[in-house]
Amino acid sequence: MSFDSAFVHMTTQLALFPQEKIHVHIDKPNYLAGEKVWFRAYVVHSCVHTPMNVSRYVYVDLINPFDSIVSRNRIRESEGKFSGYVNLPENLADGVYTFRAYTSYLENCGSDYYFKRTIKVGNTMSARVQSRINTIFSRNGGLNVSLSFSNRENGLLEVSGLSVTAKNKEHFPVRLESDTSYYFNISADLLGKNANILVSFQDGSKRSYSKFFRLQPKGDFEISFYPEGGYLLSGCNNRIAFKTIRSDGLDEAVNVDVLNSSGDTISSGVTSVRGMGILTLFAVPDESYTAICRNNAGTVKKIALPAVSAKAQVLKVDNLKGELRVTINSGSEADVDSLFLVAHVRGAIVYANWLDLSRPFLRFDQRIFPAGVAQFILLDKHLNRRSERLVFVNNDLGISAQLNSTNWDFRSKDLIELNLRVADDENKPLQGSVSVAVVDEAFVPADTAFNIKSILLLTSELKGYIDTPGFYFQNDPLALQGLDLLMMVHGWKRYDVPKVIKGIYSQPSVQPEKSMKIKGSVKSGLLLNSNPGSNVEVSIIGINTRLTEEMTTDERGEFCLDNIEFPDSTGFVVQVLKKKSLSKRLYLNIEDDSIPNSQAEYGNTGEYPGKQFQKYALKTEQLLKSDQESATLINLGEIEIVGNNLSSDLPRNFIDTQVFDSSLIQSYEGLTFREFLEQQMQLTFSGDSPNYRGNPVYFVVDEFNWTFEDLQYDLQMNSIEKIQLIRDADAASYWGGGTNYGATVWIKTKKGMYASAKEQFNLKKISPLGYQRPIEFYSPKYETAQDKEMPDYRTTIYWNPAINLDREGKASFSFFTGNDPDRYAVVIEGIMDNGEIAYLVKRLHKYLLNDFDEQ
């Protein structure tokens, strides 16, 4: 084995199974129900970070604290980019939600590879209601909970109809023991990771309010220990990282004392960064060690440390300024015949060679490593893993982004024009694409906690969820210490490098999604569980689309219509076409979309600052009201009334229809349905079979097909709300009837009684998830004095998901300020054509020429 061989094997693996990474830039971290979350999804190659366009769609889900998906969106690629929005329903409860994004191709790797982050969502009552929750643990391990509410000025808030619900839909009896405090009890079995409750009530003005509360579990915690290199080695100093976590998934502060078998304390440590800490321990052969761990609540745990090994070999890496120093420590009984060291970043081999064991350590210039997580792997002579160590190389030398303007002295409703230039370390321009968000930080903070650098360089490389990873990229000693602790407590999660070095490759089982499909099966038999065999005809007809397809089942009774594409809210009628020769009852089954399990993430999000949140909620409530009023005015302007045109009830616009108004239908209430058909529609009858101009007639009642024989005695004229005669030759096809009919009689009953009375086993109406229709973010233009008199309630001042840099690495964009601008934050994220990451945060200050912050 040599460097060249390792390089060829790893390159082969990357070609056989290229993996995606996904990052999502959103306009801000906090929202109000009724708003839109504007976003741009970046899908890049996991190794080189160049745009990767093998997937046609990105899926974006919003998950509530009960692990339920409240919004699901399918975003179609457009010119190599994925951008869209998530509509936050107006009835969303106040709480912390999980924003998740993925492609179907990422299912090859599992949910650890999905993009996940948290956002805070309030509602229009959030600024008016102050809530407090207190918990006391009961003797049986349950929780006694008290809730109190007040208004914005901490005065008495009238509360009625208060209810408390758990994830399992269990309702808790609530008792009022004072004017403002409510009490209830929760059993111990509900105090796990998803220890959330939903509280709902109405205030004195009958305004509804609901909020998720996360309960603090009993002072229990878990702690794990990670010796550097994977083993506790005898005869040398060992560094042992540890990570603590509560049962609800949050970090826990603990003190750790390490005792030997005689009970002597030989080492101590404390959590220093987000539940992580480090110990140093000189391990003695044949000795055992126990960690005594104590949190602030007084809970004590005794944990046996990993057994001391004399046969292991471990990697020790020191991340020094400008270099990495790698030391291989071997136990007294270790086989040190031959050792092979591999170092790579994201699968790109940086070093691979047999070691000269006479050298005490190896030095690596950090400049030879790309920025990101480097994995050092120590292999034995059979190329089996002996030890590994991750280290973060903060070698971000390559790119600079500059934002300039000719006018930093801005005022209310002023036009700001900004010029962006992106270049490499030699000042050569870079081409690529960026997204830009501008927010008013008087109301909402800039979204920097989940930025593109922290996602692509850090969290997408590590196993497990990492909350607010932007913290680790601050120029702060505590952040740097935490970054190295992350490397010790998390593992690299992509390819199995030792297997790849041996020439054993992995390949994807799920191929990239290129189009949409409708898939299902046909069953027969008394219990509808038998396979009717091949060549059963199935028709699929689009509603509000021209799609009409017929196909036959395969030998398994399955069918699939693929290579199609349709927007969201598109409906289809799928029907098994019965043959006279096939007397069996046929049942149609439609395969549902595959949706990954939804699980909310919990991090140290904390409460949104009270006063700032109140300002934000009140201003955004005004924005939502303004949008609703504008939409109403626009819609009224577009209405055009022409006679008694009731055709909007139909699933599509037919060419030749005749509508029978309600007064005419009422005049036939004493007559029969057949008399109406004969006298008003001029249908003729051959026995009990109606015809229109010599061709049979198709009947649709409450969107289901019925025969005239079924209707002539049961359907009463006083139960009919609307009737239309459709003369289009293909009209019956939209309800599964084919094209052999002279006319279609469409009927809507007053109570939809025929829809509930008839279950059609061989016909299904479906509305699968389509792609989201794109819309643009609204940016007002204040070009006249009259325009400037209009109120402006924006907190996201500007959003543009796709700005392309030209050959000189330049781009320009502009926006108008809002009312009383003071401090705006401009967040720019992007990917260059060569895979370089662009990330820039600038803050613009009113009246202060060229006074801005850069991050």
Side-chain angles (χ1 to χ4, degrees):
M1 180 56 61
S2 64
F3 175 87
D4 289 342
S5 297
F7 180 84
V8 169
H9 286 172
M10 200 69 215
T11 303
T12 301
Q13 175 63 88
L14 292 171
L16 289 173
F17 186 4
Q19 294 185 7
E20 295 173 326
K21 280 185 182 179
I22 185 168
H23 165 70
V24 179
H25 180 196
I26 66 176
D27 63 314
K28 56 190 176 186
N30 304 294
Y31 297 87
L32 216 63
E35 282 194 282
K36 289 181 174 63
V37 181
W38 297 94
F39 66 85
R40 159 84 180 270
Y42 291 89
V43 182
V44 300
H45 192 286
S46 66
C47 178
V48 294
H49 290 165
T50 52
M52 189 171 176
N53 297 322
V54 299
S55 293
R56 176 71 166 161
Y57 311 103
V58 167
Y59 296 89
V60 175
D61 301 333
L62 189 69
I63 303 170
N64 71 14
F66 280 171
D67 296 333
S68 298
I69 296 177
V70 296
S71 177
R72 187 164 185 257
N73 303 272
R74 190 181 209 166
I75 308 303
R76 182 173 66 168
E77 173 269 332
S78 176
E79 297 181 355
K81 304 174 184 66
F82 299 90
S83 62
Y85 59 93
V86 174
N87 267 323
L88 300 177
E90 294 182 2
N91 62 349
L92 272 189
D94 193 329
V96 177
Y97 290 74
T98 298
F99 187 102
R100 178 177 75 174
Y102 58 95
T103 67
S104 62
Y105 186 59
L106 277 174
E107 294 176 21
N108 288 294
C109 307
S111 61
D112 272 350
Y113 293 72
Y114 298 171
F115 173 86
K116 285 174 275 190
R117 62 161 297 163
T118 54
I119 62 172
K120 176 74 170 66
V121 180
N123 55 49
T124 54
M125 286 286 287
S126 299
R128 298 180 174 87
V129 178
Q130 305 293 317
S131 57
R132 296 175 182 84
I133 183 169
N134 294 296
T135 57
I136 300 175
F137 290 95
S138 59
R139 294 180 180 178
N140 61 5
L143 202 63
N144 297 324
V145 184
S146 67
L147 278 172
S148 60
F149 303 96
S150 60
N151 61 25
R152 189 167 54 196
E153 292 77 25
N154 289 319
L156 181 66
L157 180 73
E158 184 178 345
V159 174
S160 62
L162 187 139
S163 66
V164 180
T165 311
K167 177 184 176 182
N168 63 0
K169 308 300 183 183
E170 178 179 350
H171 289 266
F172 301 99
V174 179
R175 60 187 185 277
L176 177 65
E177 295 192 1
S178 70
D179 289 341
T180 59
S181 296
Y182 297 82
Y183 293 83
F184 55 94
N185 307 102
I186 293 180
S187 59
D189 60 326
L190 294 177
L191 298 179
K193 183 177 180 181
N194 195 326
N196 287 276
I197 55 173
L198 178 63
V199 177
S200 303
F201 64 84
Q202 287 186 332
D203 69 357
S205 300
K206 300 301 180 183
R207 292 176 296 197
S208 297
Y209 177 67
S210 58
K211 180 177 181 178
F212 286 103
F213 289 87
R214 194 164 79 199
L215 303 173
Q216 298 294 332
K218 195 171 182 179
D220 195 11
F221 62 91
E222 294 179 0
I223 184 167
S224 301
F225 293 88
Y226 305 88
E228 185 176 22
Y231 298 95
L232 196 58
L233 196 63
S234 65
C236 69
N237 278 313
N238 295 266
R239 290 187 293 213
I240 308 171
F242 57 90
K243 169 71 175 175
T244 58
I245 191 169
R246 299 194 318 222
S247 58
D248 63 353
L250 293 182
D251 306 328
E252 180 77 339
V254 300
N255 294 291
V256 179
D257 294 317
V258 178
L259 281 59
N260 61 17
S261 58
S262 300
D264 301 322
T265 301
I266 60 171
S267 183
S268 297
V270 62
T271 50
S272 56
V273 186
R274 298 195 168 189
M276 297 179 292
I278 194 163
L279 297 163
T280 57
L281 172 65
F282 186 88
V284 177
D286 302 322
E287 180 62 281
S288 60
Y289 299 95
T290 302
I292 308 300
C293 314
R294 182 180 290 104
N295 69 359
N296 294 332
T299 302
V300 178
K301 286 201 167 188
K302 295 182 179 181
I303 307 293
L305 294 185
V308 177
S309 173
K311 297 181 179 181
Q313 294 157 312
V314 299
L315 284 169
K316 177 184 176 183
V317 180
D318 293 296
N319 194 346
L320 306 175
K321 187 175 182 180
E323 76 171 27
L324 300 176
R325 182 177 296 177
V326 179
T327 306
I328 292 91
N329 292 328
S330 299
S332 58
E333 301 176 22
D335 180 6
V336 293
D337 184 13
S338 298
L339 293 175
F340 191 79
L341 181 65
V342 177
H344 73 92
V345 178
R346 300 188 295 275
I349 300 295
V350 178
Y351 179 87
N353 208 347
W354 295 101
L355 295 180
D356 179 358
L357 300 179
S358 65
R359 297 176 60 183
F361 55 82
L362 285 80
R363 289 178 175 174
F364 293 92
D365 189 332
Q366 289 196 18
R367 289 175 296 181
I368 69 172
F369 291 83
V373 177
Q375 184 185 36
F376 288 85
I377 308 173
L378 187 65
L379 306 176
D380 63 18
K381 61 184 177 182
H382 302 296
L383 300 180
N384 295 318
R385 188 194 312 261
R386 296 290 291 170
S387 178
E388 69 175 76
R389 172 71 151 92
L390 301 183
V391 61
F392 190 85
V393 180
N394 197 6
N395 186 18
D396 192 10
L397 304 175
I399 191 169
S400 65
Q402 298 177 341
L403 191 65
N404 297 296
S405 174
T406 57
N407 175 30
W408 294 110
D409 184 16
F410 59 88
R411 293 172 173 80
S412 177
K413 310 291 179 64
D414 271 358
L415 177 66
I416 294 182
E417 296 178 327
L418 297 176
N419 303 308
L420 174 67
R421 184 178 187 271
V422 180
D424 63 14
D425 58 328
E426 297 179 353
N427 202 31
K428 294 180 181 179
L430 294 174
Q431 284 188 271
S433 177
V434 300
S435 48
V436 178
V438 181
V439 297
D440 188 339
E441 287 199 303
F443 299 93
V444 61
D447 183 46
T448 59
F450 295 85
N451 64 68
I452 190 169
K453 286 179 65 175
S454 65
I455 297 299
L456 295 185
L457 296 182
L458 181 64
T459 63
S460 61
E461 295 291 306
L462 302 179
K463 295 178 181 177
Y465 176 72
I466 299 172
D467 187 51
T468 56
F471 161 79
Y472 298 100
F473 287 77
Q474 300 179 36
N475 187 20
D476 180 272
L478 196 63
L480 295 176
Q481 180 188 356
L483 189 56
D484 196 54
L485 287 171
L486 276 180
M487 299 299 102
M488 296 181 70
V489 304
H490 288 269
W492 194 67
K493 67 181 183 183
R494 294 198 174 269
Y495 303 102
D496 189 334
V497 176
K499 283 188 175 181
V500 173
I501 296 297
K502 294 178 182 180
I504 304 172
Y505 306 116
S506 60
Q507 298 196 39
S509 58
V510 178
Q511 296 304 311
E513 189 177 21
K514 298 295 187 182
S515 64
M516 303 177 189
K517 62 183 178 183
I518 298 173
K519 189 176 181 181
S521 61
V522 178
K523 300 295 182 182
S524 63
L526 184 62
L527 299 178
L528 300 177
N529 59 359
S530 299
N531 179 6
S534 58
N535 298 320
V536 176
E537 293 185 0
V538 177
S539 74
I540 300 178
I541 301 166
I543 300 173
N544 290 333
T545 178
R546 295 184 179 277
L547 186 144
T548 302
E549 294 285 344
E550 292 188 4
M551 66 205 69
T552 57
T553 58
D554 59 20
E555 64 275 5
R556 297 183 300 273
E558 298 176 351
F559 64 91
C560 180
L561 175 61
D562 55 10
N563 295 319
I564 60 174
E565 197 167 45
F566 49 86
D568 205 14
S569 301
T570 300
F572 297 90
V573 175
V574 185
Q575 184 179 29
V576 179
L577 302 178
K578 296 180 180 180
K579 293 183 177 180
K580 294 181 179 179
S581 59
L582 190 59
S583 60
K584 304 174 184 177
R585 184 168 67 164
L586 299 176
Y587 175 75
L588 178 65
N589 177 63
I590 303 297
E591 184 177 295
D592 293 330
D593 289 340
S594 175
I595 303 176
N597 291 333
S598 56
Q599 179 176 318
E601 298 293 345
Y602 300 98
N604 293 292
T605 308
E607 288 297 321
Y608 192 65
K611 291 184 179 179
Q612 188 186 38
F613 176 70
Q614 288 181 1
K615 290 173 59 180
Y616 168 73
L618 292 172
K619 185 168 186 176
T620 305
E621 181 181 7
Q622 291 176 308
L623 174 67
L624 295 174
K625 287 181 179 179
S626 175
D627 288 346
Q628 290 173 354
E629 291 170 359
S630 298
T632 301
L633 290 172
I634 292 171
N635 288 336
L636 286 174
E638 292 178 348
I639 288 177
E640 181 181 2
I641 301 175
V642 182
N644 279 332
N645 186 2
L646 303 178
S647 61
S648 59
D649 291 298
L650 296 175
R652 59 158 287 184
N653 292 323
F654 294 99
I655 297 174
D656 190 359
T657 63
Q658 181 179 356
V659 180
F660 300 90
D661 61 31
S662 57
S663 59
L664 179 63
I665 296 172
Q666 290 174 6
S667 69
Y668 273 79
E669 289 186 356
L671 302 175
T672 66
F673 177 53
R674 177 167 177 162
E675 288 174 312
F676 183 90
L677 298 177
E678 289 178 324
Q679 296 174 17
Q680 295 299 325
M681 297 185 179
Q682 285 77 50
L683 300 192
T684 59
F685 282 81
S686 176
D688 288 330
S689 299
N691 294 280
Y692 183 78
R693 297 177 181 174
N695 293 307
V697 178
Y698 195 75
F699 288 88
V700 176
V701 184
D702 296 332
E703 298 304 316
F704 283 93
N705 167 233
W706 292 81
T707 67
F708 178 74
E709 186 178 357
D710 294 327
L711 300 173
Q712 64 174 329
Y713 299 114
D714 292 334
L715 184 60
Q716 304 300 314
M717 291 301 299
N718 60 6
S719 67
I720 297 176
E721 180 180 337
K722 296 178 181 178
I723 301 179
Q724 295 193 45
L725 178 66
I726 309 171
R727 302 183 185 89
D728 295 40
D730 63 344
S733 300
Y734 285 86
W735 292 275
T739 58
N740 298 321
Y741 294 90
T744 298
V745 176
W746 180 90
I747 299 170
K748 180 180 179 181
T749 63
K750 294 177 180 178
K751 296 183 179 181
M753 61 183 67
Y754 279 77
S756 59
K758 184 171 184 178
E759 181 180 9
Q760 290 186 292
F761 291 101
N762 67 319
L763 184 145
K764 300 284 185 181
K765 290 183 174 65
I766 61 172
S767 184
L769 183 68
Y771 64 82
Q772 185 181 83
R773 299 177 190 267
I775 61 174
E776 288 188 9
F777 177 84
Y778 171 68
S779 292
K781 294 183 179 181
Y782 299 117
E783 297 175 336
T784 66
Q786 184 178 2
D787 291 339
K788 293 187 177 184
E789 296 297 320
M790 298 174 60
D792 191 327
Y793 303 115
R794 291 173 296 157
T795 56
T796 298
I797 304 300
Y798 177 77
W799 167 255
N800 192 329
I803 297 178
N804 295 323
L805 302 172
D806 62 20
R807 292 182 178 181
E808 297 181 352
K810 295 180 179 180
S812 300
F813 57 95
S814 62
F815 55 88
F816 283 86
T817 61
N819 294 329
D820 300 321
D822 181 29
R823 181 180 169 92
Y824 284 174
V826 183
V827 180
I828 300 175
E829 298 188 352
I831 291 291
M832 302 300 99
D833 293 346
N834 65 354
E836 293 280 3
I837 299 170
Y839 177 59
L840 178 68
V841 179
K842 276 199 173 182
R843 288 179 169 87
L844 317 178
H845 301 261
K846 182 174 67 173
Y847 305 136
L848 299 178
L849 184 64
N850 291 328
D851 182 13
F852 57 86
D853 301 327
E854 183 172 342
Q855 180 176 325

